[in-house]
Amino acid sequence: MTADDGDLRDRLTRIEGKLDLLGMQQSTSSAASDRTHSDHEERLRALERWKYALPITAAGALVTGATTIIAALKGGA
């Protein structure tokens, strides 16, 4: 084994270490990305529930208001 072989082995060892580190960083980044995606999905679903519930609530309020006005007019007459 020559000095060049030892140098080459050291370089390969450093490269392997760097690749392992990159792999760990990638898996950590992927987990964080999955959590962020899940959070966004949850928020969108909540907004969609409000989007569909709001017109029904408004219609109910209008019917209640109209009923109250009619009852007040009949009672006052």
Short mmCIF file of all heavy atoms in Angstrom, two decimals:
data_model
loop_
_atom_site.label_atom_id
_atom_site.label_comp_id
_atom_site.label_asym_id
_atom_site.label_seq_id
_atom_site.Cartn_x
_atom_site.Cartn_y
_atom_site.Cartn_z
N MET A 1 0.86 -1.17 0.00
CA MET A 1 0.00 0.00 0.00
C MET A 1 0.91 1.23 0.00
O MET A 1 1.80 1.36 0.81
CB MET A 1 -0.90 -0.02 1.24
CG MET A 1 -1.78 1.19 1.32
SD MET A 1 -3.26 0.95 2.25
CE MET A 1 -2.78 1.41 3.88
N THR A 2 0.61 2.16 -0.90
CA THR A 2 1.42 3.37 -1.02
C THR A 2 0.74 4.51 -0.30
O THR A 2 -0.38 4.38 0.20
CB THR A 2 1.61 3.73 -2.52
OG1 THR A 2 0.33 4.08 -3.05
CG2 THR A 2 2.21 2.58 -3.30
N ALA A 3 1.45 5.63 -0.26
CA ALA A 3 0.91 6.83 0.38
C ALA A 3 -0.34 7.30 -0.35
O ALA A 3 -1.28 7.80 0.26
CB ALA A 3 1.96 7.92 0.43
N ASP A 4 -0.36 7.14 -1.66
CA ASP A 4 -1.53 7.54 -2.44
C ASP A 4 -2.75 6.70 -2.08
O ASP A 4 -3.87 7.21 -2.03
CB ASP A 4 -1.24 7.42 -3.94
CG ASP A 4 -0.27 8.48 -4.44
OD1 ASP A 4 -0.19 9.54 -3.79
OD2 ASP A 4 0.39 8.25 -5.47
N ASP A 5 -2.52 5.42 -1.81
CA ASP A 5 -3.64 4.55 -1.41
C ASP A 5 -4.22 5.01 -0.07
O ASP A 5 -5.45 5.03 0.11
CB ASP A 5 -3.17 3.10 -1.29
CG ASP A 5 -2.87 2.47 -2.64
OD1 ASP A 5 -3.34 3.01 -3.66
OD2 ASP A 5 -2.17 1.43 -2.67
N GLY A 6 -3.38 5.36 0.86
CA GLY A 6 -3.85 5.85 2.17
C GLY A 6 -4.61 7.15 2.03
O GLY A 6 -5.65 7.35 2.68
N ASP A 7 -4.12 8.04 1.19
CA ASP A 7 -4.78 9.33 0.95
C ASP A 7 -6.14 9.10 0.30
O ASP A 7 -7.14 9.72 0.68
CB ASP A 7 -3.90 10.22 0.07
CG ASP A 7 -4.48 11.61 -0.11
OD1 ASP A 7 -4.97 12.18 0.88
OD2 ASP A 7 -4.44 12.11 -1.26
N LEU A 8 -6.17 8.20 -0.66
CA LEU A 8 -7.42 7.88 -1.35
C LEU A 8 -8.44 7.28 -0.38
O LEU A 8 -9.61 7.64 -0.38
CB LEU A 8 -7.16 6.91 -2.50
CG LEU A 8 -8.36 6.51 -3.35
CD1 LEU A 8 -8.98 7.73 -3.99
CD2 LEU A 8 -7.93 5.51 -4.40
N ARG A 9 -7.96 6.40 0.50
CA ARG A 9 -8.84 5.79 1.49
C ARG A 9 -9.40 6.84 2.45
O ARG A 9 -10.58 6.83 2.79
CB ARG A 9 -8.07 4.73 2.27
CG ARG A 9 -8.96 3.90 3.17
CD ARG A 9 -8.19 2.75 3.71
NE ARG A 9 -7.80 1.93 2.55
CZ ARG A 9 -7.68 0.63 2.57
NH1 ARG A 9 -7.88 -0.01 3.71
NH2 ARG A 9 -7.34 -0.05 1.51
N ASP A 10 -8.57 7.80 2.88
CA ASP A 10 -9.03 8.88 3.75
C ASP A 10 -10.09 9.73 3.06
O ASP A 10 -11.10 10.11 3.67
CB ASP A 10 -7.86 9.77 4.18
CG ASP A 10 -6.93 9.09 5.16
OD1 ASP A 10 -7.34 8.08 5.78
OD2 ASP A 10 -5.79 9.58 5.31
N ARG A 11 -9.86 10.04 1.81
CA ARG A 11 -10.83 10.84 1.05
C ARG A 11 -12.16 10.10 0.91
O ARG A 11 -13.23 10.70 1.07
CB ARG A 11 -10.28 11.17 -0.34
CG ARG A 11 -9.19 12.20 -0.32
CD ARG A 11 -8.73 12.50 -1.72
NE ARG A 11 -7.65 13.46 -1.72
CZ ARG A 11 -7.15 13.99 -2.81
NH1 ARG A 11 -7.61 13.64 -3.99
NH2 ARG A 11 -6.17 14.87 -2.74
N LEU A 12 -12.09 8.82 0.61
CA LEU A 12 -13.32 8.04 0.48
C LEU A 12 -14.07 7.96 1.81
O LEU A 12 -15.30 8.03 1.85
CB LEU A 12 -13.01 6.63 -0.04
CG LEU A 12 -12.61 6.54 -1.51
CD1 LEU A 12 -12.19 5.12 -1.86
CD2 LEU A 12 -13.75 6.99 -2.40
N THR A 13 -13.34 7.85 2.89
CA THR A 13 -13.96 7.82 4.21
C THR A 13 -14.68 9.14 4.50
O THR A 13 -15.81 9.15 5.00
CB THR A 13 -12.91 7.54 5.30
OG1 THR A 13 -12.28 6.30 5.02
CG2 THR A 13 -13.54 7.49 6.67
N ARG A 14 -14.05 10.25 4.15
CA ARG A 14 -14.69 11.56 4.35
C ARG A 14 -15.92 11.71 3.47
O ARG A 14 -16.96 12.23 3.90
CB ARG A 14 -13.69 12.69 4.07
CG ARG A 14 -12.66 12.88 5.16
CD ARG A 14 -11.91 14.20 4.99
NE ARG A 14 -11.34 14.33 3.67
CZ ARG A 14 -10.05 14.20 3.38
NH1 ARG A 14 -9.19 13.94 4.33
NH2 ARG A 14 -9.61 14.35 2.15
N ILE A 15 -15.83 11.23 2.24
CA ILE A 15 -16.97 11.32 1.32
C ILE A 15 -18.14 10.49 1.86
O ILE A 15 -19.29 10.93 1.85
CB ILE A 15 -16.57 10.86 -0.09
CG1 ILE A 15 -15.64 11.90 -0.72
CG2 ILE A 15 -17.80 10.65 -0.97
CD1 ILE A 15 -15.02 11.45 -2.03
N GLU A 16 -17.84 9.29 2.35
CA GLU A 16 -18.89 8.45 2.91
C GLU A 16 -19.55 9.14 4.11
O GLU A 16 -20.77 9.10 4.28
CB GLU A 16 -18.34 7.10 3.34
CG GLU A 16 -18.04 6.17 2.19
CD GLU A 16 -17.44 4.85 2.64
OE1 GLU A 16 -16.92 4.78 3.79
OE2 GLU A 16 -17.50 3.90 1.87
N GLY A 17 -18.75 9.77 4.95
CA GLY A 17 -19.29 10.49 6.10
C GLY A 17 -20.20 11.63 5.67
O GLY A 17 -21.27 11.83 6.25
N LYS A 18 -19.78 12.34 4.64
CA LYS A 18 -20.61 13.45 4.15
C LYS A 18 -21.90 12.94 3.54
O LYS A 18 -22.97 13.54 3.72
CB LYS A 18 -19.82 14.28 3.14
CG LYS A 18 -18.72 15.10 3.79
CD LYS A 18 -17.93 15.87 2.76
CE LYS A 18 -16.79 16.65 3.43
NZ LYS A 18 -16.01 17.42 2.46
N LEU A 19 -21.83 11.84 2.82
CA LEU A 19 -23.05 11.27 2.24
C LEU A 19 -24.01 10.79 3.32
O LEU A 19 -25.23 10.97 3.21
CB LEU A 19 -22.70 10.10 1.30
CG LEU A 19 -22.07 10.50 -0.03
CD1 LEU A 19 -21.64 9.26 -0.79
CD2 LEU A 19 -23.04 11.32 -0.86
N ASP A 20 -23.48 10.19 4.38
CA ASP A 20 -24.32 9.77 5.50
C ASP A 20 -25.00 10.98 6.13
O ASP A 20 -26.19 10.94 6.46
CB ASP A 20 -23.50 9.03 6.55
CG ASP A 20 -23.06 7.65 6.09
OD1 ASP A 20 -23.65 7.13 5.12
OD2 ASP A 20 -22.12 7.10 6.70
N LEU A 21 -24.25 12.06 6.31
CA LEU A 21 -24.82 13.28 6.89
C LEU A 21 -25.91 13.85 6.00
O LEU A 21 -26.98 14.25 6.48
CB LEU A 21 -23.72 14.32 7.11
CG LEU A 21 -24.14 15.65 7.71
CD1 LEU A 21 -24.75 15.44 9.10
CD2 LEU A 21 -22.97 16.59 7.80
N LEU A 22 -25.68 13.87 4.70
CA LEU A 22 -26.70 14.36 3.77
C LEU A 22 -27.96 13.51 3.83
O LEU A 22 -29.08 14.02 3.78
CB LEU A 22 -26.16 14.38 2.34
CG LEU A 22 -25.20 15.52 1.99
CD1 LEU A 22 -24.61 15.30 0.61
CD2 LEU A 22 -25.90 16.85 2.06
N GLY A 23 -27.77 12.20 3.95
CA GLY A 23 -28.92 11.30 4.06
C GLY A 23 -29.73 11.58 5.30
O GLY A 23 -30.97 11.58 5.27
N MET A 24 -29.07 11.81 6.43
CA MET A 24 -29.78 12.12 7.67
C MET A 24 -30.50 13.46 7.56
O MET A 24 -31.63 13.60 8.02
CB MET A 24 -28.80 12.14 8.85
CG MET A 24 -28.33 10.77 9.25
SD MET A 24 -27.34 10.76 10.77
CE MET A 24 -25.89 11.67 10.27
N GLN A 25 -29.86 14.45 6.95
CA GLN A 25 -30.50 15.76 6.80
C GLN A 25 -31.72 15.65 5.90
O GLN A 25 -32.74 16.28 6.15
CB GLN A 25 -29.51 16.77 6.22
CG GLN A 25 -28.44 17.19 7.20
CD GLN A 25 -27.39 18.08 6.55
OE1 GLN A 25 -27.26 18.13 5.33
NE2 GLN A 25 -26.63 18.77 7.39
N GLN A 26 -31.62 14.84 4.85
CA GLN A 26 -32.74 14.67 3.93
C GLN A 26 -33.93 14.03 4.63
O GLN A 26 -35.06 14.45 4.45
CB GLN A 26 -32.32 13.82 2.73
CG GLN A 26 -33.42 13.56 1.73
CD GLN A 26 -33.96 14.82 1.09
OE1 GLN A 26 -33.23 15.78 0.88
NE2 GLN A 26 -35.22 14.83 0.76
N SER A 27 -33.68 13.01 5.45
CA SER A 27 -34.79 12.35 6.13
C SER A 27 -35.43 13.29 7.15
O SER A 27 -36.64 13.28 7.34
CB SER A 27 -34.33 11.05 6.79
OG SER A 27 -33.43 11.31 7.83
N THR A 28 -34.64 14.11 7.82
CA THR A 28 -35.18 15.09 8.77
C THR A 28 -36.01 16.13 8.05
O THR A 28 -37.10 16.50 8.48
CB THR A 28 -34.03 15.78 9.54
OG1 THR A 28 -33.27 14.78 10.20
CG2 THR A 28 -34.57 16.76 10.55
N SER A 29 -35.50 16.60 6.91
CA SER A 29 -36.21 17.60 6.12
C SER A 29 -37.52 17.03 5.59
O SER A 29 -38.54 17.71 5.56
CB SER A 29 -35.33 18.07 4.96
OG SER A 29 -36.03 18.93 4.12
N SER A 30 -37.51 15.77 5.19
CA SER A 30 -38.71 15.13 4.67
C SER A 30 -39.78 15.02 5.74
O SER A 30 -40.96 15.25 5.49
CB SER A 30 -38.36 13.74 4.13
OG SER A 30 -39.51 13.08 3.67
N ALA A 31 -39.39 14.69 6.96
CA ALA A 31 -40.35 14.58 8.06
C ALA A 31 -40.98 15.94 8.36
O ALA A 31 -42.19 16.04 8.58
CB ALA A 31 -39.68 14.02 9.30
N ALA A 32 -40.17 16.98 8.36
CA ALA A 32 -40.69 18.34 8.60
C ALA A 32 -41.64 18.75 7.48
O ALA A 32 -42.68 19.36 7.73
CB ALA A 32 -39.54 19.33 8.71
N SER A 33 -41.30 18.40 6.27
CA SER A 33 -42.15 18.72 5.12
C SER A 33 -43.48 17.98 5.22
O SER A 33 -44.54 18.55 4.93
CB SER A 33 -41.43 18.33 3.83
OG SER A 33 -42.25 18.58 2.72
N ASP A 34 -43.45 16.73 5.67
CA ASP A 34 -44.68 15.96 5.84
C ASP A 34 -45.58 16.60 6.90
O ASP A 34 -46.79 16.67 6.72
CB ASP A 34 -44.38 14.52 6.22
CG ASP A 34 -43.78 13.72 5.08
OD1 ASP A 34 -43.87 14.18 3.91
OD2 ASP A 34 -43.22 12.64 5.34
N ARG A 35 -44.98 17.07 8.00
CA ARG A 35 -45.77 17.72 9.05
C ARG A 35 -46.39 19.01 8.53
O ARG A 35 -47.55 19.30 8.81
CB ARG A 35 -44.89 18.01 10.26
CG ARG A 35 -44.61 16.80 11.12
CD ARG A 35 -43.99 17.17 12.46
NE ARG A 35 -42.76 17.95 12.33
CZ ARG A 35 -41.54 17.44 12.20
NH1 ARG A 35 -41.37 16.14 12.19
NH2 ARG A 35 -40.48 18.23 12.10
N THR A 36 -45.63 19.78 7.77
CA THR A 36 -46.14 21.04 7.22
C THR A 36 -47.29 20.76 6.25
O THR A 36 -48.33 21.43 6.29
CB THR A 36 -45.03 21.81 6.49
OG1 THR A 36 -43.98 22.08 7.42
CG2 THR A 36 -45.53 23.11 5.91
N HIS A 37 -47.13 19.76 5.41
CA HIS A 37 -48.18 19.40 4.46
C HIS A 37 -49.44 18.97 5.19
O HIS A 37 -50.55 19.38 4.83
CB HIS A 37 -47.67 18.28 3.54
CG HIS A 37 -48.65 17.88 2.50
ND1 HIS A 37 -49.53 16.85 2.70
CD2 HIS A 37 -48.91 18.38 1.27
CE1 HIS A 37 -50.29 16.73 1.63
NE2 HIS A 37 -49.92 17.65 0.74
N SER A 38 -49.29 18.17 6.22
CA SER A 38 -50.43 17.71 7.00
C SER A 38 -51.15 18.90 7.66
O SER A 38 -52.38 18.96 7.66
CB SER A 38 -49.97 16.72 8.06
OG SER A 38 -51.03 16.33 8.87
N ASP A 39 -50.37 19.85 8.18
CA ASP A 39 -50.95 21.03 8.81
C ASP A 39 -51.74 21.85 7.79
O ASP A 39 -52.85 22.31 8.07
CB ASP A 39 -49.86 21.88 9.44
CG ASP A 39 -50.41 23.10 10.15
OD1 ASP A 39 -51.33 22.93 10.98
OD2 ASP A 39 -49.92 24.21 9.89
N HIS A 40 -51.19 22.02 6.59
CA HIS A 40 -51.88 22.78 5.56
C HIS A 40 -53.18 22.09 5.15
O HIS A 40 -54.21 22.74 4.95
CB HIS A 40 -50.98 22.98 4.34
CG HIS A 40 -49.90 23.98 4.56
ND1 HIS A 40 -48.77 24.02 3.81
CD2 HIS A 40 -49.78 24.99 5.46
CE1 HIS A 40 -47.99 25.00 4.23
NE2 HIS A 40 -48.58 25.59 5.24
N GLU A 41 -53.14 20.77 5.02
CA GLU A 41 -54.35 20.03 4.67
C GLU A 41 -55.42 20.22 5.73
O GLU A 41 -56.60 20.42 5.41
CB GLU A 41 -54.02 18.54 4.52
CG GLU A 41 -53.31 18.18 3.24
CD GLU A 41 -54.19 18.37 2.02
OE1 GLU A 41 -55.41 18.10 2.09
OE2 GLU A 41 -53.65 18.79 0.98
N GLU A 42 -55.03 20.16 6.98
CA GLU A 42 -55.97 20.33 8.08
C GLU A 42 -56.61 21.72 8.04
O GLU A 42 -57.82 21.87 8.23
CB GLU A 42 -55.24 20.11 9.40
CG GLU A 42 -56.13 19.97 10.59
CD GLU A 42 -55.32 19.63 11.84
OE1 GLU A 42 -54.54 18.68 11.81
OE2 GLU A 42 -55.50 20.36 12.83
N ARG A 43 -55.80 22.73 7.79
CA ARG A 43 -56.33 24.10 7.73
C ARG A 43 -57.28 24.28 6.55
O ARG A 43 -58.32 24.93 6.67
CB ARG A 43 -55.19 25.10 7.62
CG ARG A 43 -54.39 25.22 8.89
CD ARG A 43 -53.19 26.11 8.67
NE ARG A 43 -52.34 26.15 9.83
CZ ARG A 43 -51.78 27.23 10.29
NH1 ARG A 43 -51.96 28.39 9.68
NH2 ARG A 43 -51.02 27.19 11.35
N LEU A 44 -56.95 23.70 5.41
CA LEU A 44 -57.82 23.79 4.25
C LEU A 44 -59.16 23.12 4.51
O LEU A 44 -60.21 23.64 4.13
CB LEU A 44 -57.16 23.16 3.02
CG LEU A 44 -56.08 24.00 2.35
CD1 LEU A 44 -55.39 23.19 1.27
CD2 LEU A 44 -56.67 25.26 1.76
N ARG A 45 -59.14 21.96 5.16
CA ARG A 45 -60.38 21.26 5.47
C ARG A 45 -61.25 22.11 6.41
O ARG A 45 -62.48 22.16 6.26
CB ARG A 45 -60.10 19.90 6.11
CG ARG A 45 -59.34 18.94 5.24
CD ARG A 45 -60.12 18.57 3.99
NE ARG A 45 -59.27 17.82 3.09
CZ ARG A 45 -58.81 18.26 1.93
NH1 ARG A 45 -59.13 19.45 1.51
NH2 ARG A 45 -58.05 17.51 1.15
N ALA A 46 -60.64 22.78 7.36
CA ALA A 46 -61.39 23.65 8.28
C ALA A 46 -62.03 24.80 7.51
O ALA A 46 -63.20 25.15 7.74
CB ALA A 46 -60.48 24.17 9.38
N LEU A 47 -61.30 25.40 6.59
CA LEU A 47 -61.85 26.50 5.78
C LEU A 47 -63.00 26.00 4.90
O LEU A 47 -64.00 26.71 4.72
CB LEU A 47 -60.76 27.12 4.91
CG LEU A 47 -59.75 27.99 5.64
CD1 LEU A 47 -58.62 28.39 4.69
CD2 LEU A 47 -60.41 29.22 6.21
N GLU A 48 -62.86 24.81 4.35
CA GLU A 48 -63.92 24.26 3.52
C GLU A 48 -65.20 24.02 4.33
O GLU A 48 -66.30 24.24 3.84
CB GLU A 48 -63.46 22.97 2.85
CG GLU A 48 -62.45 23.21 1.75
CD GLU A 48 -61.85 21.94 1.21
OE1 GLU A 48 -62.01 20.86 1.84
OE2 GLU A 48 -61.19 22.02 0.16
N ARG A 49 -65.04 23.57 5.58
CA ARG A 49 -66.23 23.37 6.42
C ARG A 49 -66.96 24.69 6.64
O ARG A 49 -68.19 24.75 6.58
CB ARG A 49 -65.83 22.74 7.75
CG ARG A 49 -65.53 21.26 7.65
CD ARG A 49 -65.41 20.61 9.01
NE ARG A 49 -64.28 21.10 9.79
CZ ARG A 49 -63.05 20.62 9.73
NH1 ARG A 49 -62.76 19.63 8.92
NH2 ARG A 49 -62.10 21.12 10.48
N TRP A 50 -66.21 25.76 6.91
CA TRP A 50 -66.81 27.08 7.09
C TRP A 50 -67.46 27.57 5.81
O TRP A 50 -68.53 28.17 5.83
CB TRP A 50 -65.77 28.10 7.56
CG TRP A 50 -65.59 28.08 9.04
CD1 TRP A 50 -64.59 27.48 9.72
CD2 TRP A 50 -66.43 28.68 10.00
NE1 TRP A 50 -64.76 27.66 11.07
CE2 TRP A 50 -65.88 28.40 11.27
CE3 TRP A 50 -67.60 29.43 9.92
CZ2 TRP A 50 -66.47 28.84 12.44
CZ3 TRP A 50 -68.18 29.88 11.10
CH2 TRP A 50 -67.62 29.58 12.34
N LYS A 51 -66.82 27.31 4.69
CA LYS A 51 -67.33 27.77 3.39
C LYS A 51 -68.72 27.21 3.13
O LYS A 51 -69.60 27.90 2.63
CB LYS A 51 -66.36 27.31 2.29
CG LYS A 51 -66.83 27.59 0.89
CD LYS A 51 -65.82 27.04 -0.10
CE LYS A 51 -66.39 26.97 -1.48
NZ LYS A 51 -65.47 26.36 -2.42
N TYR A 52 -68.94 25.94 3.47
CA TYR A 52 -70.24 25.33 3.21
C TYR A 52 -71.24 25.59 4.33
O TYR A 52 -72.44 25.58 4.10
CB TYR A 52 -70.07 23.82 2.98
CG TYR A 52 -69.28 23.54 1.72
CD1 TYR A 52 -68.06 22.91 1.77
CD2 TYR A 52 -69.77 23.94 0.48
CE1 TYR A 52 -67.32 22.68 0.61
CE2 TYR A 52 -69.05 23.71 -0.68
CZ TYR A 52 -67.83 23.07 -0.61
OH TYR A 52 -67.12 22.85 -1.74
N ALA A 53 -70.79 25.83 5.53
CA ALA A 53 -71.69 26.05 6.65
C ALA A 53 -72.23 27.48 6.67
O ALA A 53 -73.35 27.72 7.14
CB ALA A 53 -70.99 25.75 7.97
N LEU A 54 -71.47 28.43 6.16
CA LEU A 54 -71.87 29.84 6.23
C LEU A 54 -73.18 30.14 5.50
O LEU A 54 -74.06 30.79 6.07
CB LEU A 54 -70.73 30.72 5.72
CG LEU A 54 -70.88 32.21 5.95
CD1 LEU A 54 -71.02 32.51 7.44
CD2 LEU A 54 -69.69 32.96 5.40
N PRO A 55 -73.39 29.70 4.26
CA PRO A 55 -74.67 30.00 3.60
C PRO A 55 -75.87 29.39 4.32
O PRO A 55 -76.94 30.01 4.41
CB PRO A 55 -74.52 29.38 2.21
CG PRO A 55 -73.06 29.27 1.99
CD PRO A 55 -72.46 29.06 3.33
N ILE A 56 -75.71 28.21 4.87
CA ILE A 56 -76.81 27.58 5.60
C ILE A 56 -77.14 28.38 6.85
O ILE A 56 -78.31 28.62 7.17
CB ILE A 56 -76.44 26.11 5.95
CG1 ILE A 56 -76.31 25.31 4.65
CG2 ILE A 56 -77.46 25.49 6.89
CD1 ILE A 56 -75.69 23.94 4.84
N THR A 57 -76.13 28.84 7.55
CA THR A 57 -76.32 29.65 8.74
C THR A 57 -76.99 30.98 8.40
O THR A 57 -77.90 31.43 9.10
CB THR A 57 -74.97 29.89 9.43
OG1 THR A 57 -74.36 28.64 9.71
CG2 THR A 57 -75.13 30.67 10.71
N ALA A 58 -76.55 31.59 7.30
CA ALA A 58 -77.15 32.87 6.88
C ALA A 58 -78.61 32.69 6.51
O ALA A 58 -79.46 33.52 6.87
CB ALA A 58 -76.35 33.44 5.70
N ALA A 59 -78.94 31.61 5.82
CA ALA A 59 -80.33 31.35 5.45
C ALA A 59 -81.18 31.15 6.71
O ALA A 59 -82.31 31.66 6.80
CB ALA A 59 -80.42 30.13 4.54
N GLY A 60 -80.65 30.43 7.67
CA GLY A 60 -81.38 30.23 8.93
C GLY A 60 -81.62 31.54 9.65
O GLY A 60 -82.69 31.77 10.22
N ALA A 61 -80.63 32.40 9.63
CA ALA A 61 -80.77 33.71 10.29
C ALA A 61 -81.83 34.56 9.58
O ALA A 61 -82.62 35.25 10.24
CB ALA A 61 -79.43 34.43 10.30
N LEU A 62 -81.86 34.50 8.25
CA LEU A 62 -82.88 35.26 7.51
C LEU A 62 -84.29 34.76 7.82
O LEU A 62 -85.22 35.56 8.01
CB LEU A 62 -82.61 35.18 6.00
CG LEU A 62 -81.44 36.00 5.49
CD1 LEU A 62 -81.18 35.71 4.02
CD2 LEU A 62 -81.71 37.48 5.69
N VAL A 63 -84.46 33.45 7.87
CA VAL A 63 -85.78 32.89 8.18
C VAL A 63 -86.21 33.28 9.59
O VAL A 63 -87.36 33.68 9.82
CB VAL A 63 -85.75 31.35 8.00
CG1 VAL A 63 -87.01 30.70 8.58
CG2 VAL A 63 -85.57 30.99 6.54
N THR A 64 -85.28 33.19 10.52
CA THR A 64 -85.59 33.58 11.91
C THR A 64 -85.95 35.06 11.99
O THR A 64 -86.91 35.45 12.67
CB THR A 64 -84.39 33.27 12.82
OG1 THR A 64 -84.09 31.88 12.73
CG2 THR A 64 -84.69 33.64 14.26
N GLY A 65 -85.21 35.90 11.29
CA GLY A 65 -85.49 37.34 11.29
C GLY A 65 -86.84 37.64 10.67
O GLY A 65 -87.61 38.45 11.21
N ALA A 66 -87.14 36.99 9.55
CA ALA A 66 -88.43 37.22 8.89
C ALA A 66 -89.58 36.76 9.79
O ALA A 66 -90.61 37.44 9.91
CB ALA A 66 -88.47 36.48 7.56
N THR A 67 -89.40 35.62 10.45
CA THR A 67 -90.42 35.11 11.35
C THR A 67 -90.65 36.07 12.51
O THR A 67 -91.79 36.34 12.92
CB THR A 67 -90.01 33.72 11.90
OG1 THR A 67 -89.76 32.85 10.80
CG2 THR A 67 -91.07 33.12 12.79
N THR A 68 -89.58 36.61 13.03
CA THR A 68 -89.69 37.57 14.14
C THR A 68 -90.42 38.83 13.71
O THR A 68 -91.28 39.35 14.42
CB THR A 68 -88.28 37.92 14.67
OG1 THR A 68 -87.62 36.71 15.06
CG2 THR A 68 -88.33 38.87 15.84
N ILE A 69 -90.10 39.32 12.52
CA ILE A 69 -90.76 40.54 12.01
C ILE A 69 -92.25 40.29 11.77
O ILE A 69 -93.08 41.10 12.14
CB ILE A 69 -90.05 41.03 10.72
CG1 ILE A 69 -88.66 41.55 11.07
CG2 ILE A 69 -90.88 42.10 10.02
CD1 ILE A 69 -87.81 41.87 9.87
N ILE A 70 -92.57 39.15 11.18
CA ILE A 70 -93.99 38.83 10.92
C ILE A 70 -94.76 38.70 12.24
O ILE A 70 -95.87 39.21 12.39
CB ILE A 70 -94.10 37.54 10.08
CG1 ILE A 70 -93.58 37.81 8.65
CG2 ILE A 70 -95.52 37.02 10.05
CD1 ILE A 70 -93.42 36.58 7.80
N ALA A 71 -94.14 38.03 13.20
CA ALA A 71 -94.80 37.87 14.52
C ALA A 71 -94.99 39.23 15.18
O ALA A 71 -96.04 39.49 15.80
CB ALA A 71 -93.97 36.94 15.41
N ALA A 72 -94.02 40.12 15.04
CA ALA A 72 -94.13 41.45 15.65
C ALA A 72 -95.24 42.25 14.97
O ALA A 72 -95.99 42.98 15.64
CB ALA A 72 -92.81 42.19 15.57
N LEU A 73 -95.35 42.14 13.65
CA LEU A 73 -96.40 42.89 12.92
C LEU A 73 -97.79 42.37 13.25
O LEU A 73 -98.73 43.14 13.38
CB LEU A 73 -96.13 42.81 11.42
CG LEU A 73 -94.89 43.57 10.92
CD1 LEU A 73 -94.69 43.31 9.41
CD2 LEU A 73 -95.04 45.06 11.18
N LYS A 74 -97.93 41.06 13.37
CA LYS A 74 -99.24 40.50 13.71
C LYS A 74 -99.62 40.83 15.14
O LYS A 74 -100.80 41.06 15.43
CB LYS A 74 -99.21 38.98 13.53
CG LYS A 74 -99.28 38.55 12.10
CD LYS A 74 -99.40 37.03 12.01
CE LYS A 74 -99.56 36.61 10.57
NZ LYS A 74 -99.68 35.15 10.45
N GLY A 75 -98.66 40.84 15.99
CA GLY A 75 -98.94 41.13 17.40
C GLY A 75 -99.24 42.62 17.62
O GLY A 75 -100.03 42.98 18.48
N GLY A 76 -98.65 43.47 16.82
CA GLY A 76 -98.85 44.92 16.98
C GLY A 76 -100.11 45.42 16.31
O GLY A 76 -100.58 46.49 16.58
N ALA A 77 -100.71 44.63 15.43
CA ALA A 77 -101.87 45.09 14.68
C ALA A 77 -103.16 44.95 15.39
O ALA A 77 -103.51 44.50 16.33
CB ALA A 77 -101.97 44.34 13.35
#
